[in-house]
Amino acid sequence: MEKQKKIALINDLTGFGRCSTAVMAPIVSAMKIQAVAVPTAILSAHTQFPTYYFDDYTDRMKEYIQTYKDLKLDFDAISTGFLGSEQQVDIVLDFIRHFKTDRNFVIVDPVMGDYGKLYRTYTKEMCDKMKELVHYADIITPNTTEAAILLDRDPASAPQNETEAQEWLHALHSRYGAQVVLTGLDYEPGKVGSGCLSADGGTISLHERIAQYYPGTGDLFAAVVLGALLNGRALADACA
Ligand code: PXL
């Protein structure tokens, strides 16, 4: 029998409001991959709500992760998302150094903000540390706000047409060396979409816009891409 694949989901655990681990774990499970949750923070509700309880898990992560070192687990992919503190990046880098092999890959969703603004628990220092982490990724999945921050551009700027979207994809690839999935492309009336840059080149795919804002959509998208990649799809196909 083929061994079931497993991924480390380094991300927060949020109760109310669908995002991060709560969204990603069921999706990858349905795609027949075991989700191994590594919590970065525990929140009662996500940060788009006017109030939430935020428990930064930094101090407990080292001991939590030690179990996986002791059990000599091997992961088929390492995925990172929302981080609770600047110091957590060093813990995540240690995780990558320990568990990265030539048979797995690292996918970093550089969660920092959306719609031109940082999430409320993020600081400028955390964004600078996030840039450090992104250098270790094989694949990155920023939205346009996060891409702008990674490129030291105005966070409220975004590609205004397909040529600019391709330029953003190539700029991210040349600065960080990773394959790129750029989400939240929003320049054509009635449409939204994503761009993807892999060894096969850059592909933009737009689809019909749903006139609603759903926090956690990026997490859902990242989970589907991750599951599809582990199930043997090429990156552009996984994004489509
Ligand atoms: O989907 C990104 C995200 C993840 N985790 C938490 C969030 C958000 C976006 O608001 O608040 C806790």
Side-chain angles (χ1 to χ4, degrees), residues 11-14 18-21 41-43 45-49 52 54 81-83 109 111-114 119-122 143 146 213-220:
N11 217 323
D12 71 80
L13 187 63
T14 288
R18 301 174 194 91
C19 71
S20 39
T21 308
I42 298 175
L43 295 94
H46 66 53
T47 63
Q48 305 299 310
F49 288 105
Y52 52 85
F54 173 67
F82 181 98
L83 299 182
D109 190 0
V111 174
M112 292 184 283
D114 207 356
Y119 295 132
R120 274 148 66 196
T121 54
Y122 272 73
N143 60 34
E146 292 153 351
Y213 171 55
Y214 295 106
T217 310
D219 303 323
L220 186 152

Side-chain angles (χ1 to χ4, degrees), residues 27-88:
I27 291 172
V28 296
S29 295
M31 294 169 98
K32 308 220 182 311
I33 297 153
Q34 182 181 171
V36 180
V38 180
T40 56
I42 298 175
L43 295 94
S44 53
H46 66 53
T47 63
Q48 305 299 310
F49 288 105
T51 178
Y52 52 85
Y53 170 74
F54 173 67
D55 183 16
D56 171 11
Y57 207 60
T58 307
D59 292 345
R60 278 145 295 163
M61 281 179 80
K62 271 192 192 151
E63 272 185 86
Y64 185 105
I65 292 166
Q66 188 58 42
T67 310
Y68 302 155
K69 293 184 177 175
D70 294 343
L71 291 173
K72 299 195 187 335
L73 292 194
D74 49 9
F75 296 102
D76 296 283
I78 299 164
S79 140
T80 82
F82 181 98
L83 299 182
S85 72
E86 203 184 317
Q87 303 88 284
Q88 255 177 36

